[in-house]
Amino acid sequence: MRKLLYIFIILTSLLACDTGLEIEVQDSFDFTITSDQKDISFVSEEINTTITIEPERKVQGTQYFFSYELDNGNGYYKLNNTILTPGQEYKLESLEFNLVYVGEDVNTHTTEITIRNSNDLTTSHLISYKIVDFNDFKVNTIKLSNDEVFLSQKVEFELEIEKVVNELEQELEYEIKFINSSLNGKLNINQNEIVLGESLTDLSEGKHRISFLANQGGNAQIDLLVKASNGKSQEVTINSEIIPTSILLEVTPEKTENYIKTPTAFNFNIYKIGVEEITYELVFKNINGKLSNTDNEYFKNETISVTEGNFQMNFEGFETSNTPIEFTLNASNGLSKTVSVDFSVLQTDFDLVVTPDEPNDYVGDLTPFEFSISKKGDQNLQYEISFNGPKGEILYQGNSYSNNDRIDLNIVTGGRFEFRGKEVSNEPLQFTVRASNGLSKTVSVNFESTPTDFEVIPSNDNISQFYMFDISLNMNIISPEVDNQFISYKMYFKTTDLGEIYIEERNTNQQISAGEILDLGFNTNIRMTINQRGTITQRKGEITFVIIDSNNVEREVTVAIEWRN
């Protein structure tokens, strides 16, 4: 310690004695830059880069600033998640800081970073990054089935995925996406059914078994997208021809013609070329009729489920025709086969006669009619009869039928019914018989429904009475002699020059004014009292009674009335 004190005194003395010596005080020192980063990275990968500033001596208060330029390659730096602009200075908070570099293309990237301190001393440093592309992959297609397969057979193949490694290797996963198919069907990848637009994910390199089962024939183009977890992708297309099963149809009738509704045996033969399990539907058209077997009946345009091989069905035509019958066989694989068979259907005809027992009768009375159907041909027919023309009613086998109602005769070809006219008419009646083969015949029958003629007799047709009293009047209805009906009556009245009056009918104890209808029922003896309403005074005029029977036949009776002083 004492030696140090001596040395200090000596030095001080020397300095004091030499007045020409200059003393330099240094407050800024040079510095160097080092960096630490990966040598090789993937494109777009964030590369951590550590920059260290190493000054010769640390001086308190010295600040440092960072900037950079790109010498080669496209990329950028980030600091604290902020993208840094080349050429712009950024103040640093410490002598060591972390940057992130992102290379945007495959290249050897070179950047020049520059550090400047607050004393304007600068130092530059070059950093090199080797940026490589993501690992690629290739897909090998291995066909397991023929280029042509029958419908219902699977198109089978394998996709073998191989990773192509560059300077860096990635751990990759893959997905296979079903992006398109020219035919409808089911796609399976590794025994997983995948619908159009869906993917099977988390796949590794190696072979993946794929099958496609089409549900229609034609060229099957299957498009798949294989995509790696690094974004690389490839499309794979598989083509295969789907051959639909060929079908053949033979139809042979045992006769070339027959009557309507008369069965004719038709022989069918259906066979196929192919391995597909298919079902068949048969339909016929161009003629109204039916095919039948022991269990079912099938009509025109109706679908019939049939099987392969030989079978027989009966055909019956419903109408005359010389048009060939067209048979179409539709298979579940979408194919169809049509054949035309020459066959004529002959019509069964008939004549109709309808005769009344009497040429006329009262409206409402029952008149017997006789009908007869004479068939021409061998076909068994069923019939129904109807009538139109004047309004009426037919009674047949205990049932009532009105105009245009159809009366089921079944197989009856003759008999009797009763007719009741419901309106007065001398117009002919039209009777129509329709047969089950669609044929109809209409005959016109002259028959007159005459009015149910009745007479109304008043007890007096000219009555005079003191105006203070009411007037009594009786009327008798003389009904016609009718059969099978009971005639009822109703009435109303109208006046001339009598003012407001009312009538009290004593049998029914009902009062009516002019225009009001009184139901008389079956009463034919009308007893009335005629009264003035309101001011009672002298009056002279007429009262007209309108009597209507239940067949709507009308009679009018006019009586002169006078109320005097």
Side-chain angles (χ1 to χ4, degrees):
M1 186 67 180
R2 183 176 295 176
K3 287 181 179 181
L4 292 174
L5 180 59
Y6 289 154
I7 292 170
F8 177 75
I9 293 171
I10 293 169
L11 289 173
T12 302
S13 300
L14 290 173
L15 292 173
C17 293
D18 188 0
T19 58
L21 181 65
E22 293 183 357
I23 300 174
E24 181 180 355
V25 180
Q26 185 174 343
D27 61 357
S28 179
F29 299 90
D30 286 338
F31 56 89
T32 59
I33 304 172
T34 61
S35 62
D36 182 38
Q37 70 280 334
K38 289 168 59 176
D39 293 331
I40 302 177
S41 302
F42 288 114
V43 65
S44 300
E45 179 184 349
E46 293 190 345
I47 307 168
N48 290 320
T49 304
T50 301
I51 306 297
T52 303
I53 303 171
E54 299 177 347
E56 293 178 356
R57 181 176 299 176
K58 295 180 181 180
V59 178
Q60 187 175 1
T62 302
Q63 294 182 341
Y64 293 87
F65 302 88
F66 163 82
S67 64
Y68 78 97
E69 295 290 345
L70 294 172
D71 284 355
N72 190 49
N74 294 319
Y76 57 87
Y77 278 111
K78 292 197 301 183
L79 177 63
N80 298 329
N81 292 322
T82 299
I83 295 177
L84 305 181
T85 303
Q88 182 174 332
E89 282 192 340
Y90 298 90
K91 183 180 178 181
L92 301 175
E93 301 297 332
S94 64
L95 296 178
E96 184 177 284
F97 58 97
N98 292 318
L99 295 172
V100 171
Y101 183 74
V102 178
E104 296 181 304
D105 59 358
V106 176
N107 207 336
T108 298
H109 291 220
T110 304
T111 66
E112 182 180 15
I113 65 172
T114 299
I115 304 296
R116 181 180 66 84
N117 67 10
S118 52
N119 294 309
D120 286 333
L121 291 178
T122 61
T123 299
S124 295
H125 178 72
L126 292 177
I127 302 177
S128 180
Y129 302 92
K130 186 172 184 180
I131 306 299
V132 297
D133 199 359
F134 295 132
N135 287 173
D136 207 346
F137 65 92
K138 62 180 181 179
V139 180
N140 300 316
T141 303
I142 306 167
K143 263 203 168 183
L144 303 177
S145 57
N146 295 329
D147 290 337
E148 294 183 349
V149 299
F150 282 110
L151 195 63
S152 81
Q153 291 181 318
K154 294 180 180 179
V155 177
E156 295 185 296
F157 56 95
E158 287 181 338
L159 293 186
E160 183 179 25
I161 302 174
E162 294 184 32
K163 182 169 60 177
V164 179
V165 180
N166 50 26
E167 292 96 329
L168 291 179
E169 182 175 0
Q170 290 178 287
E171 292 296 326
L172 298 178
E173 291 183 344
Y174 302 86
E175 67 173 275
I176 301 176
K177 185 176 183 179
F178 185 16
I179 60 174
N180 184 55
S181 174
S182 60
L183 298 179
N184 292 327
K186 292 183 179 180
L187 183 82
N188 280 273
I189 304 176
N190 297 339
Q191 298 184 342
N192 296 285
E193 184 175 339
I194 305 298
V195 301
L196 192 64
E198 287 188 350
S199 303
L200 187 64
T201 59
D202 300 327
L203 302 177
S204 60
E205 285 95 10
K207 294 180 179 180
H208 301 279
R209 193 178 185 92
I210 299 174
S211 67
F212 179 74
L213 182 62
N215 57 20
Q216 61 186 129
N219 178 53
Q221 177 178 314
I222 305 161
D223 296 323
L224 303 174
L225 178 66
V226 183
K227 187 175 181 180
S229 54
N230 63 4
K232 295 280 187 177
S233 64
Q234 293 185 36
E235 282 193 22
V236 178
T237 298
I238 300 295
N239 286 287
S240 187
E241 188 69 22
I242 310 299
I243 304 173
T245 304
S246 300
I247 60 172
L248 295 171
L249 170 66
E250 297 174 351
V251 183
T252 307
E254 292 188 353
K255 293 182 179 181
T256 58
E257 64 179 26
N258 213 339
Y259 289 105
I260 292 173
K261 294 286 286 183
T262 302
T264 302
F266 276 59
N267 297 304
F268 296 86
N269 183 23
I270 298 172
Y271 57 98
K272 71 181 178 184
I273 300 174
V275 299
E276 182 183 4
E277 291 295 328
I278 55 178
T279 58
Y280 302 92
E281 292 179 340
L282 181 68
V283 66
F284 73 93
K285 60 182 180 178
N286 288 353
I287 184 170
N288 284 326
K290 71 176 181 179
L291 282 172
S292 61
N293 52 30
T294 55
D295 299 319
N296 297 294
E297 295 181 340
Y298 306 94
F299 299 90
K300 182 179 74 170
N301 297 324
E302 187 173 350
T303 299
I304 309 168
S305 295
V306 292
T307 57
E308 291 179 26
N310 297 309
F311 59 93
Q312 189 178 82
M313 299 184 78
N314 289 323
F315 176 78
E316 298 178 26
F318 293 163
E319 62 187 10
T320 57
S321 174
N322 289 317
T323 303
I325 306 174
E326 187 175 289
F327 293 91
T328 299
L329 181 68
N330 295 312
S332 56
N333 63 357
L335 288 184
S336 65
K337 186 72 175 179
T338 299
V339 297
S340 291
V341 178
D342 291 331
F343 186 79
S344 297
V345 181
L346 308 178
Q347 181 65 284
T348 301
D349 202 356
F350 63 90
D351 291 327
L352 171 65
V353 177
V354 180
T355 306
D357 283 4
E358 300 291 340
N360 57 62
D361 207 344
Y362 281 127
V363 63
D365 267 4
L366 291 173
T367 302
F369 278 61
E370 185 172 353
F371 69 94
S372 175
I373 300 171
S374 301
K375 183 178 61 173
K376 298 177 182 179
D378 298 332
Q379 181 185 4
N380 290 325
L381 299 178
Q382 295 178 344
Y383 306 92
E384 59 183 20
I385 189 170
S386 63
F387 75 97
N388 59 25
K391 187 177 181 181
E393 174 187 21
I394 283 180
L395 297 180
Y396 179 70
Q397 294 185 350
N399 296 310
S400 174
Y401 302 90
S402 301
N403 293 59
N404 298 313
D405 286 347
R406 296 191 178 187
I407 305 168
D408 188 5
L409 301 176
N410 204 341
I411 60 173
V412 174
T413 57
R416 293 174 67 83
F417 59 81
E418 293 179 304
F419 176 79
R420 174 186 285 130
K422 290 191 173 182
E423 65 180 354
V424 176
S425 175
N426 60 3
E427 295 293 325
L429 291 169
Q430 307 294 324
F431 290 92
T432 300
V433 168
R434 296 173 179 85
S436 53
N437 65 353
L439 186 66
S440 66
K441 288 292 181 70
T442 299
V443 296
S444 180
V445 178
N446 291 322
F447 182 77
E448 183 177 2
S449 292
T450 59
T452 44
D453 195 15
F454 65 94
E455 185 179 0
V456 180
I457 302 174
S459 58
N460 194 341
D461 61 2
N462 192 341
I463 304 173
S464 178
Q465 176 66 281
F466 181 60
Y467 77 91
M468 294 296 294
F469 298 100
D470 55 24
I471 294 174
S472 294
L473 176 66
N474 294 337
M475 289 191 301
N476 287 323
I477 301 174
I478 308 302
S479 299
E481 294 183 5
V482 294
D483 298 323
N484 308 305
Q485 65 173 310
F486 297 96
I487 301 176
S488 61
Y489 299 91
K490 55 188 176 181
M491 79 169 194
Y492 68 91
F493 70 90
K494 49 191 176 181
T495 65
T496 304
D497 298 329
L498 291 180
E500 188 176 359
I501 67 171
Y502 68 93
I503 289 175
E504 181 178 357
E505 205 285 316
R506 295 194 293 274
N507 289 320
T508 60
N509 291 322
Q510 297 291 319
Q511 290 184 2
I512 59 171
S513 299
E516 294 181 345
I517 294 177
L518 174 63
D519 187 357
L520 298 172
F522 300 106
N523 179 33
T524 58
N525 184 14
I526 306 170
R527 298 183 303 132
M528 296 175 288
T529 301
I530 304 170
N531 301 278
Q532 296 187 57
R533 191 185 300 276
T535 303
I536 298 174
T537 183
Q538 301 174 55
R539 296 178 183 178
K540 184 177 182 179
E542 291 180 341
I543 182 169
T544 299
F545 296 93
V546 181
I547 312 299
I548 309 167
D549 74 1
S550 49
N551 294 314
N552 288 322
V553 178
E554 294 186 5
R555 293 290 182 266
E556 290 189 1
V557 174
T558 300
V559 177
I561 300 292
E562 180 183 10
W563 276 287
R564 66 183 189 283
N565 281 330

